Amino acid sequence: MVDDTWSSALHRLWQAASRAEEVAALADDVYAPLLATPGVHLVAGTRWDEQHVLRYMRGLSAGSDTPVIVATTRSMPGAAVREPGGEPVVTRSDVEGLDDSVWPEAAFLRQAPGVSVVACTFRLDQRGWAALALAVDGTADLSVVENRLTQAVDVIAACHTGILQRGREARRASDDALLAEASLQMDSSLDVEDTLRRVARIAVPAVADGALVHLLRGEGPEFVAATHVAVQQQRALEEAGRHDPWLAALLARRGEDEDTVFLSGAALEGSPFAEAGGAAVGADGAAVGADGAAVGAAVGANGTAADARPAGDGPHPTVVSINTLRARGRVVGSITFVYQRPEARLPDSAFLRSLATRAALAIDNALLYELRRTAVLSLQEHLLPSQLPESVQWDLSASYAVGDPMLDVGGDFYDAVPRPDGSIALLIGDVCGRGAEAAALTGLARHTLRTLLEEGTDPGIALSRLNRALRQERASRFLTAVVATLTPRPDGTAVLSTCSAGHPPPLVLRSDGTVSEVLSGGLLLGVLDDVSYESHEELIAPDDTLVLFTDGLTESREASGAFFESVLPARLSALRGSGAAHIAESLAQQAETFRDSGQDDIALLVARWTGVPPGAGLLPHDPRIEQAALR
């Protein structure tokens, strides 16, 4: 005969199990129908960890609506005899014969008028097990009681498995989201220091309470960043990262080991993380040991808990994990996480390895970018003059701003060449494109023009010969250039002769603040075989300033679409009375601030004519070196 009451209760129990977020939520749906079984007076449930530490106990008697609930960390080694193997174990015992060191629920079960206890112990997972015990009298049909008990246990075990599965899925989704966000955050910067700070911060507090990042340098691990949820502990972490010999030795021993290592308890002795009572943590992130000290939660004769403090309250043992940061087949450093949280919230090794891999790639990208940036700037510096000549007749300065965030070598160049007749030739040019080929043409163009102009060659002829050299070399790129010579006159003025090959026309800032454009023209270099270039002459007066620039200055574009070219005359006029260095630096900075789009390099060469007569001459033996601003 089918027991409809129990069948209905079991159906409701399965429904509740499918929705439960924790096993304890099933208690009412489990205890009530079991207590409704004829002959059953009391139900007691216990939950244990793998070290035979009682974590939770709940008891309910028939006719009562108030359960006894005890949450504790009571160590009971004697309970090992009850621990089940793979399958649930059902036992029958005389209630008076229960050993209190094995049965913490014995004091509660003895309150019933029954004569025996039917109990079922079952495994929840690898980290714990549980027991459900019923106090029954002589009228109970023990086969029915055992059947219902095992059916209830099946539901509880299935519920726990489902909760773990849903938890794993939720955690996996959360981990995937965190890893995706971490990648975005870390990859959004190519600055080494900023990337390292992001690596340390991205995991705190989502993954750990603190983080340390070390880079592998030639002499060993070097501390670079630390963060902690508590400011005071962050200072301690930084100090440990910089100076602690225990940590330095540990990181050095780790070498190229790719496994995640978890340390706690005795493994942290002598370290800056050591504390009493820690729990050792295994490589899978699960706690594998505790000191076993009994906290004790006695249940009195009246069924009340003597200590109902929830498990996990208060400070948690410190756990430390270390991952090697490896990218592109080489070790770039290590990341150390510090945890002060329940063991259930410790990340697993697979997640930490994935996070470490992403962090390593971000750091390696930043390091490679820094190396490339250093190499490019060094190459760019060698493509430009290391110093500009000085004479009392002129005030010279230059500025160079790299506009490409990927830092390919640009094709802008400039130079200032004293000539045999006492004049000075100023040249500026721009090779189409970027990269190695542009750099090669830049070197060819600047050194060819410099050599010819130093020998006194006419600027037009020098440009023609450069054009012929480019055509002979079958250069695939064209370039623009302009050569301006300043020839002193006895009256303090100077003849400005300008010869251009398709380059933006220079500007002259007069001493009264007016700005005029120098007439120029000419075909691009490297396009046709036979090209001639003509010069245009005009006079400049004392304190007039000549400004030569590449199109990176004029083509800087703001968000509205306007080019810097439209405001350049006014901006230059506002700089009247300024020295050449200030004009060059100010215009470059203003263009960079102005532009919302455009990544071309900006080169400027500025010459202010002083009006000193020719007899003052050059000062070749006592030059004042003014470095070009490579920014």
Side-chain angles (χ1 to χ4, degrees), residues 311-343:
D313 280 4
H316 299 282
T318 296
V319 180
V320 174
S321 70
I322 302 173
N323 278 88
T324 298
L325 299 176
R326 175 186 290 275
R328 300 180 177 92
R330 66 188 185 95
V331 175
V332 298
S334 65
I335 184 165
T336 302
F337 291 127
V338 180
Y339 313 90
Q340 290 166 314
R341 56 184 61 188
E343 62 188 56

PDB file of all heavy atoms in Angstrom, residues 311-343:
ATOM      1  N   ALA A 311      30.033  29.301  12.850  1.00  0.00           N
ATOM      2  CA  ALA A 311      31.369  28.913  12.409  1.00  0.00           C
ATOM      3  C   ALA A 311      31.894  29.922  11.403  1.00  0.00           C
ATOM      4  O   ALA A 311      31.189  30.384  10.532  1.00  0.00           O
ATOM      5  CB  ALA A 311      31.327  27.521  11.772  1.00  0.00           C
ATOM      6  N   GLY A 312      33.189  30.246  11.533  1.00  0.00           N
ATOM      7  CA  GLY A 312      33.811  31.149  10.579  1.00  0.00           C
ATOM      8  C   GLY A 312      33.860  32.585  11.042  1.00  0.00           C
ATOM      9  O   GLY A 312      34.448  33.422  10.397  1.00  0.00           O
ATOM     10  N   ASP A 313      33.189  32.909  12.202  1.00  0.00           N
ATOM     11  CA  ASP A 313      33.293  34.273  12.709  1.00  0.00           C
ATOM     12  C   ASP A 313      34.698  34.522  13.229  1.00  0.00           C
ATOM     13  O   ASP A 313      35.414  33.610  13.628  1.00  0.00           O
ATOM     14  CB  ASP A 313      32.287  34.497  13.843  1.00  0.00           C
ATOM     15  CG  ASP A 313      30.893  34.760  13.287  1.00  0.00           C
ATOM     16  OD1 ASP A 313      30.751  34.683  12.050  1.00  0.00           O
ATOM     17  OD2 ASP A 313      29.986  35.028  14.084  1.00  0.00           O
ATOM     18  N   GLY A 314      35.101  35.800  13.259  1.00  0.00           N
ATOM     19  CA  GLY A 314      36.402  36.163  13.781  1.00  0.00           C
ATOM     20  C   GLY A 314      37.467  36.076  12.710  1.00  0.00           C
ATOM     21  O   GLY A 314      37.203  35.789  11.547  1.00  0.00           O
ATOM     22  N   PRO A 315      38.745  36.313  13.090  1.00  0.00           N
ATOM     23  CA  PRO A 315      39.837  36.309  12.113  1.00  0.00           C
ATOM     24  C   PRO A 315      40.083  34.917  11.552  1.00  0.00           C
ATOM     25  O   PRO A 315      39.885  33.906  12.231  1.00  0.00           O
ATOM     26  CB  PRO A 315      41.038  36.801  12.941  1.00  0.00           C
ATOM     27  CG  PRO A 315      40.691  36.445  14.357  1.00  0.00           C
ATOM     28  CD  PRO A 315      39.201  36.607  14.463  1.00  0.00           C
ATOM     29  N   HIS A 316      40.515  34.875  10.309  1.00  0.00           N
ATOM     30  CA  HIS A 316      40.806  33.609   9.655  1.00  0.00           C
ATOM     31  C   HIS A 316      42.308  33.437   9.516  1.00  0.00           C
ATOM     32  O   HIS A 316      43.058  34.415   9.434  1.00  0.00           O
ATOM     33  CB  HIS A 316      40.148  33.570   8.276  1.00  0.00           C
ATOM     34  CG  HIS A 316      38.661  33.687   8.323  1.00  0.00           C
ATOM     35  ND1 HIS A 316      37.858  32.634   8.665  1.00  0.00           N
ATOM     36  CD2 HIS A 316      37.825  34.737   8.095  1.00  0.00           C
ATOM     37  CE1 HIS A 316      36.597  33.013   8.639  1.00  0.00           C
ATOM     38  NE2 HIS A 316      36.550  34.285   8.305  1.00  0.00           N
ATOM     39  N   PRO A 317      42.790  32.193   9.464  1.00  0.00           N
ATOM     40  CA  PRO A 317      44.226  31.968   9.292  1.00  0.00           C
ATOM     41  C   PRO A 317      44.719  32.586   7.985  1.00  0.00           C
ATOM     42  O   PRO A 317      44.004  32.616   6.988  1.00  0.00           O
ATOM     43  CB  PRO A 317      44.330  30.433   9.253  1.00  0.00           C
ATOM     44  CG  PRO A 317      43.086  29.937   9.911  1.00  0.00           C
ATOM     45  CD  PRO A 317      42.029  30.955   9.601  1.00  0.00           C
ATOM     46  N   THR A 318      45.942  33.071   8.030  1.00  0.00           N
ATOM     47  CA  THR A 318      46.534  33.654   6.832  1.00  0.00           C
ATOM     48  C   THR A 318      47.008  32.550   5.896  1.00  0.00           C
ATOM     49  O   THR A 318      47.662  31.605   6.319  1.00  0.00           O
ATOM     50  CB  THR A 318      47.718  34.562   7.196  1.00  0.00           C
ATOM     51  OG1 THR A 318      47.237  35.650   7.972  1.00  0.00           O
ATOM     52  CG2 THR A 318      48.397  35.095   5.942  1.00  0.00           C
ATOM     53  N   VAL A 319      46.673  32.695   4.631  1.00  0.00           N
ATOM     54  CA  VAL A 319      47.106  31.775   3.584  1.00  0.00           C
ATOM     55  C   VAL A 319      47.811  32.597   2.515  1.00  0.00           C
ATOM     56  O   VAL A 319      47.379  33.705   2.191  1.00  0.00           O
ATOM     57  CB  VAL A 319      45.913  31.008   2.974  1.00  0.00           C
ATOM     58  CG1 VAL A 319      46.390  30.062   1.877  1.00  0.00           C
ATOM     59  CG2 VAL A 319      45.154  30.256   4.049  1.00  0.00           C
ATOM     60  N   VAL A 320      48.884  32.069   1.990  1.00  0.00           N
ATOM     61  CA  VAL A 320      49.663  32.750   0.960  1.00  0.00           C
ATOM     62  C   VAL A 320      49.779  31.825  -0.259  1.00  0.00           C
ATOM     63  O   VAL A 320      50.059  30.631  -0.107  1.00  0.00           O
ATOM     64  CB  VAL A 320      51.069  33.113   1.473  1.00  0.00           C
ATOM     65  CG1 VAL A 320      51.925  33.696   0.350  1.00  0.00           C
ATOM     66  CG2 VAL A 320      50.978  34.099   2.627  1.00  0.00           C
ATOM     67  N   SER A 321      49.529  32.368  -1.438  1.00  0.00           N
ATOM     68  CA  SER A 321      49.750  31.604  -2.676  1.00  0.00           C
ATOM     69  C   SER A 321      50.749  32.351  -3.545  1.00  0.00           C
ATOM     70  O   SER A 321      50.805  33.579  -3.531  1.00  0.00           O
ATOM     71  CB  SER A 321      48.440  31.385  -3.444  1.00  0.00           C
ATOM     72  OG  SER A 321      47.969  32.602  -4.004  1.00  0.00           O
ATOM     73  N   ILE A 322      51.536  31.585  -4.290  1.00  0.00           N
ATOM     74  CA  ILE A 322      52.564  32.177  -5.159  1.00  0.00           C
ATOM     75  C   ILE A 322      52.453  31.554  -6.541  1.00  0.00           C
ATOM     76  O   ILE A 322      52.355  30.338  -6.681  1.00  0.00           O
ATOM     77  CB  ILE A 322      53.980  31.936  -4.593  1.00  0.00           C
ATOM     78  CG1 ILE A 322      54.099  32.523  -3.178  1.00  0.00           C
ATOM     79  CG2 ILE A 322      55.038  32.548  -5.502  1.00  0.00           C
ATOM     80  CD1 ILE A 322      55.393  32.188  -2.492  1.00  0.00           C
ATOM     81  N   ASN A 323      52.435  32.405  -7.548  1.00  0.00           N
ATOM     82  CA  ASN A 323      52.423  31.959  -8.940  1.00  0.00           C
ATOM     83  C   ASN A 323      53.569  32.592  -9.702  1.00  0.00           C
ATOM     84  O   ASN A 323      53.837  33.790  -9.568  1.00  0.00           O
ATOM     85  CB  ASN A 323      51.104  32.340  -9.625  1.00  0.00           C
ATOM     86  CG  ASN A 323      49.999  31.363  -9.328  1.00  0.00           C
ATOM     87  OD1 ASN A 323      49.294  31.499  -8.337  1.00  0.00           O
ATOM     88  ND2 ASN A 323      49.838  30.355 -10.176  1.00  0.00           N
ATOM     89  N   THR A 324      54.239  31.781 -10.492  1.00  0.00           N
ATOM     90  CA  THR A 324      55.268  32.295 -11.390  1.00  0.00           C
ATOM     91  C   THR A 324      54.601  32.971 -12.582  1.00  0.00           C
ATOM     92  O   THR A 324      53.610  32.466 -13.116  1.00  0.00           O
ATOM     93  CB  THR A 324      56.175  31.153 -11.878  1.00  0.00           C
ATOM     94  OG1 THR A 324      56.829  30.569 -10.752  1.00  0.00           O
ATOM     95  CG2 THR A 324      57.221  31.660 -12.858  1.00  0.00           C
ATOM     96  N   LEU A 325      55.115  34.103 -12.981  1.00  0.00           N
ATOM     97  CA  LEU A 325      54.609  34.827 -14.147  1.00  0.00           C
ATOM     98  C   LEU A 325      55.481  34.467 -15.349  1.00  0.00           C
ATOM     99  O   LEU A 325      56.655  34.832 -15.412  1.00  0.00           O
ATOM    100  CB  LEU A 325      54.634  36.336 -13.900  1.00  0.00           C
ATOM    101  CG  LEU A 325      53.772  36.831 -12.730  1.00  0.00           C
ATOM    102  CD1 LEU A 325      53.952  38.328 -12.536  1.00  0.00           C
ATOM    103  CD2 LEU A 325      52.308  36.502 -12.960  1.00  0.00           C
ATOM    104  N   ARG A 326      54.900  33.718 -16.260  1.00  0.00           N
ATOM    105  CA  ARG A 326      55.638  33.258 -17.438  1.00  0.00           C
ATOM    106  C   ARG A 326      54.925  33.727 -18.697  1.00  0.00           C
ATOM    107  O   ARG A 326      53.711  33.560 -18.832  1.00  0.00           O
ATOM    108  CB  ARG A 326      55.744  31.738 -17.443  1.00  0.00           C
ATOM    109  CG  ARG A 326      56.400  31.148 -18.684  1.00  0.00           C
ATOM    110  CD  ARG A 326      56.330  29.645 -18.663  1.00  0.00           C
ATOM    111  NE  ARG A 326      57.195  29.104 -17.649  1.00  0.00           N
ATOM    112  CZ  ARG A 326      58.492  28.853 -17.815  1.00  0.00           C
ATOM    113  NH1 ARG A 326      59.053  29.081 -18.998  1.00  0.00           N
ATOM    114  NH2 ARG A 326      59.225  28.369 -16.855  1.00  0.00           N
ATOM    115  N   ALA A 327      55.687  34.294 -19.617  1.00  0.00           N
ATOM    116  CA  ALA A 327      55.121  34.761 -20.881  1.00  0.00           C
ATOM    117  C   ALA A 327      56.116  34.507 -22.001  1.00  0.00           C
ATOM    118  O   ALA A 327      57.316  34.782 -21.864  1.00  0.00           O
ATOM    119  CB  ALA A 327      54.792  36.256 -20.801  1.00  0.00           C
ATOM    120  N   ARG A 328      55.592  33.956 -23.084  1.00  0.00           N
ATOM    121  CA  ARG A 328      56.400  33.698 -24.279  1.00  0.00           C
ATOM    122  C   ARG A 328      57.652  32.882 -23.967  1.00  0.00           C
ATOM    123  O   ARG A 328      58.747  33.163 -24.468  1.00  0.00           O
ATOM    124  CB  ARG A 328      56.760  35.017 -24.969  1.00  0.00           C
ATOM    125  CG  ARG A 328      55.541  35.825 -25.413  1.00  0.00           C
ATOM    126  CD  ARG A 328      55.930  37.126 -26.092  1.00  0.00           C
ATOM    127  NE  ARG A 328      54.749  37.820 -26.562  1.00  0.00           N
ATOM    128  CZ  ARG A 328      54.093  38.737 -25.837  1.00  0.00           C
ATOM    129  NH1 ARG A 328      54.524  39.059 -24.630  1.00  0.00           N
ATOM    130  NH2 ARG A 328      53.015  39.319 -26.310  1.00  0.00           N
ATOM    131  N   GLY A 329      57.472  31.887 -23.112  1.00  0.00           N
ATOM    132  CA  GLY A 329      58.558  30.959 -22.823  1.00  0.00           C
ATOM    133  C   GLY A 329      59.596  31.452 -21.843  1.00  0.00           C
ATOM    134  O   GLY A 329      60.609  30.776 -21.624  1.00  0.00           O
ATOM    135  N   ARG A 330      59.366  32.577 -21.214  1.00  0.00           N
ATOM    136  CA  ARG A 330      60.342  33.065 -20.237  1.00  0.00           C
ATOM    137  C   ARG A 330      59.636  33.584 -18.997  1.00  0.00           C
ATOM    138  O   ARG A 330      58.494  34.043 -19.048  1.00  0.00           O
ATOM    139  CB  ARG A 330      61.223  34.165 -20.835  1.00  0.00           C
ATOM    140  CG  ARG A 330      60.496  35.450 -21.173  1.00  0.00           C
ATOM    141  CD  ARG A 330      61.415  36.403 -21.934  1.00  0.00           C
ATOM    142  NE  ARG A 330      60.773  37.689 -22.175  1.00  0.00           N
ATOM    143  CZ  ARG A 330      60.929  38.756 -21.380  1.00  0.00           C
ATOM    144  NH1 ARG A 330      61.699  38.678 -20.317  1.00  0.00           N
ATOM    145  NH2 ARG A 330      60.329  39.888 -21.668  1.00  0.00           N
ATOM    146  N   VAL A 331      60.329  33.486 -17.867  1.00  0.00           N
ATOM    147  CA  VAL A 331      59.784  33.946 -16.594  1.00  0.00           C
ATOM    148  C   VAL A 331      60.037  35.443 -16.463  1.00  0.00           C
ATOM    149  O   VAL A 331      61.171  35.909 -16.615  1.00  0.00           O
ATOM    150  CB  VAL A 331      60.430  33.196 -15.411  1.00  0.00           C
ATOM    151  CG1 VAL A 331      59.939  33.766 -14.082  1.00  0.00           C
ATOM    152  CG2 VAL A 331      60.104  31.711 -15.486  1.00  0.00           C
ATOM    153  N   VAL A 332      58.969  36.192 -16.196  1.00  0.00           N
ATOM    154  CA  VAL A 332      59.112  37.640 -16.038  1.00  0.00           C
ATOM    155  C   VAL A 332      58.973  38.080 -14.584  1.00  0.00           C
ATOM    156  O   VAL A 332      59.287  39.216 -14.254  1.00  0.00           O
ATOM    157  CB  VAL A 332      58.078  38.400 -16.898  1.00  0.00           C
ATOM    158  CG1 VAL A 332      58.292  38.094 -18.367  1.00  0.00           C
ATOM    159  CG2 VAL A 332      56.654  38.055 -16.497  1.00  0.00           C
ATOM    160  N   GLY A 333      58.492  37.185 -13.712  1.00  0.00           N
ATOM    161  CA  GLY A 333      58.363  37.569 -12.313  1.00  0.00           C
ATOM    162  C   GLY A 333      57.466  36.609 -11.566  1.00  0.00           C
ATOM    163  O   GLY A 333      57.324  35.434 -11.934  1.00  0.00           O
ATOM    164  N   SER A 334      56.843  37.112 -10.502  1.00  0.00           N
ATOM    165  CA  SER A 334      55.938  36.296  -9.692  1.00  0.00           C
ATOM    166  C   SER A 334      54.868  37.193  -9.087  1.00  0.00           C
ATOM    167  O   SER A 334      55.066  38.403  -8.937  1.00  0.00           O
ATOM    168  CB  SER A 334      56.704  35.574  -8.576  1.00  0.00           C
ATOM    169  OG  SER A 334      57.250  36.517  -7.657  1.00  0.00           O
ATOM    170  N   ILE A 335      53.732  36.577  -8.749  1.00  0.00           N
ATOM    171  CA  ILE A 335      52.666  37.298  -8.063  1.00  0.00           C
ATOM    172  C   ILE A 335      52.295  36.501  -6.818  1.00  0.00           C
ATOM    173  O   ILE A 335      52.099  35.284  -6.886  1.00  0.00           O
ATOM    174  CB  ILE A 335      51.448  37.521  -8.985  1.00  0.00           C
ATOM    175  CG1 ILE A 335      50.392  38.370  -8.285  1.00  0.00           C
ATOM    176  CG2 ILE A 335      50.858  36.220  -9.479  1.00  0.00           C
ATOM    177  CD1 ILE A 335      49.336  38.935  -9.215  1.00  0.00           C
ATOM    178  N   THR A 336      52.261  37.180  -5.695  1.00  0.00           N
ATOM    179  CA  THR A 336      51.973  36.565  -4.405  1.00  0.00           C
ATOM    180  C   THR A 336      50.670  37.128  -3.880  1.00  0.00           C
ATOM    181  O   THR A 336      50.508  38.345  -3.788  1.00  0.00           O
ATOM    182  CB  THR A 336      53.106  36.857  -3.398  1.00  0.00           C
ATOM    183  OG1 THR A 336      54.343  36.375  -3.935  1.00  0.00           O
ATOM    184  CG2 THR A 336      52.830  36.177  -2.064  1.00  0.00           C
ATOM    185  N   PHE A 337      49.726  36.245  -3.544  1.00  0.00           N
ATOM    186  CA  PHE A 337      48.455  36.658  -2.970  1.00  0.00           C
ATOM    187  C   PHE A 337      48.418  36.290  -1.496  1.00  0.00           C
ATOM    188  O   PHE A 337      48.893  35.219  -1.097  1.00  0.00           O
ATOM    189  CB  PHE A 337      47.280  35.997  -3.690  1.00  0.00           C
ATOM    190  CG  PHE A 337      47.071  36.496  -5.093  1.00  0.00           C
ATOM    191  CD1 PHE A 337      46.989  35.617  -6.153  1.00  0.00           C
ATOM    192  CD2 PHE A 337      46.952  37.863  -5.341  1.00  0.00           C
ATOM    193  CE1 PHE A 337      46.788  36.078  -7.445  1.00  0.00           C
ATOM    194  CE2 PHE A 337      46.757  38.328  -6.631  1.00  0.00           C
ATOM    195  CZ  PHE A 337      46.676  37.444  -7.682  1.00  0.00           C
ATOM    196  N   VAL A 338      47.831  37.171  -0.704  1.00  0.00           N
ATOM    197  CA  VAL A 338      47.665  36.942   0.730  1.00  0.00           C
ATOM    198  C   VAL A 338      46.171  36.909   1.028  1.00  0.00           C
ATOM    199  O   VAL A 338      45.430  37.811   0.622  1.00  0.00           O
ATOM    200  CB  VAL A 338      48.346  38.057   1.551  1.00  0.00           C
ATOM    201  CG1 VAL A 338      48.174  37.804   3.052  1.00  0.00           C
ATOM    202  CG2 VAL A 338      49.819  38.146   1.195  1.00  0.00           C
ATOM    203  N   TYR A 339      45.736  35.851   1.729  1.00  0.00           N
ATOM    204  CA  TYR A 339      44.315  35.666   2.021  1.00  0.00           C
ATOM    205  C   TYR A 339      44.088  35.645   3.526  1.00  0.00           C
ATOM    206  O   TYR A 339      44.840  35.010   4.272  1.00  0.00           O
ATOM    207  CB  TYR A 339      43.810  34.338   1.450  1.00  0.00           C
ATOM    208  CG  TYR A 339      44.217  34.053   0.025  1.00  0.00           C
ATOM    209  CD1 TYR A 339      45.394  33.371  -0.248  1.00  0.00           C
ATOM    210  CD2 TYR A 339      43.432  34.465  -1.037  1.00  0.00           C
ATOM    211  CE1 TYR A 339      45.788  33.111  -1.549  1.00  0.00           C
ATOM    212  CE2 TYR A 339      43.810  34.194  -2.353  1.00  0.00           C
ATOM    213  CZ  TYR A 339      44.989  33.520  -2.595  1.00  0.00           C
ATOM    214  OH  TYR A 339      45.372  33.258  -3.884  1.00  0.00           O
ATOM    215  N   GLN A 340      43.046  36.312   3.947  1.00  0.00           N
ATOM    216  CA  GLN A 340      42.576  36.245   5.332  1.00  0.00           C
ATOM    217  C   GLN A 340      41.059  36.110   5.262  1.00  0.00           C
ATOM    218  O   GLN A 340      40.324  37.035   5.595  1.00  0.00           O
ATOM    219  CB  GLN A 340      43.009  37.492   6.109  1.00  0.00           C
ATOM    220  CG  GLN A 340      44.518  37.523   6.354  1.00  0.00           C
ATOM    221  CD  GLN A 340      45.013  38.872   6.801  1.00  0.00           C
ATOM    222  OE1 GLN A 340      44.649  39.898   6.233  1.00  0.00           O
ATOM    223  NE2 GLN A 340      45.847  38.876   7.823  1.00  0.00           N
ATOM    224  N   ARG A 341      40.617  34.957   4.785  1.00  0.00           N
ATOM    225  CA  ARG A 341      39.211  34.722   4.513  1.00  0.00           C
ATOM    226  C   ARG A 341      38.923  33.233   4.672  1.00  0.00           C
ATOM    227  O   ARG A 341      39.851  32.423   4.735  1.00  0.00           O
ATOM    228  CB  ARG A 341      38.865  35.181   3.092  1.00  0.00           C
ATOM    229  CG  ARG A 341      39.719  34.543   2.008  1.00  0.00           C
ATOM    230  CD  ARG A 341      39.405  35.101   0.624  1.00  0.00           C
ATOM    231  NE  ARG A 341      39.663  36.528   0.544  1.00  0.00           N
ATOM    232  CZ  ARG A 341      39.337  37.291  -0.494  1.00  0.00           C
ATOM    233  NH1 ARG A 341      38.726  36.744  -1.534  1.00  0.00           N
ATOM    234  NH2 ARG A 341      39.589  38.586  -0.507  1.00  0.00           N
ATOM    235  N   PRO A 342      37.643  32.853   4.736  1.00  0.00           N
ATOM    236  CA  PRO A 342      37.306  31.428   4.878  1.00  0.00           C
ATOM    237  C   PRO A 342      37.892  30.613   3.733  1.00  0.00           C
ATOM    238  O   PRO A 342      38.022  31.092   2.608  1.00  0.00           O
ATOM    239  CB  PRO A 342      35.774  31.425   4.838  1.00  0.00           C
ATOM    240  CG  PRO A 342      35.369  32.804   5.221  1.00  0.00           C
ATOM    241  CD  PRO A 342      36.434  33.708   4.719  1.00  0.00           C
ATOM    242  N   GLU A 343      38.226  29.344   4.047  1.00  0.00           N
ATOM    243  CA  GLU A 343      38.845  28.491   3.038  1.00  0.00           C
ATOM    244  C   GLU A 343      37.947  28.287   1.822  1.00  0.00           C
ATOM    245  O   GLU A 343      38.435  28.081   0.699  1.00  0.00           O
ATOM    246  CB  GLU A 343      39.199  27.136   3.649  1.00  0.00           C
ATOM    247  CG  GLU A 343      37.988  26.362   4.147  1.00  0.00           C
ATOM    248  CD  GLU A 343      38.397  25.122   4.908  1.00  0.00           C
ATOM    249  OE1 GLU A 343      39.153  25.243   5.874  1.00  0.00           O
ATOM    250  OE2 GLU A 343      37.930  24.037   4.515  1.00  0.00           O
TER     251      GLU A 343
END
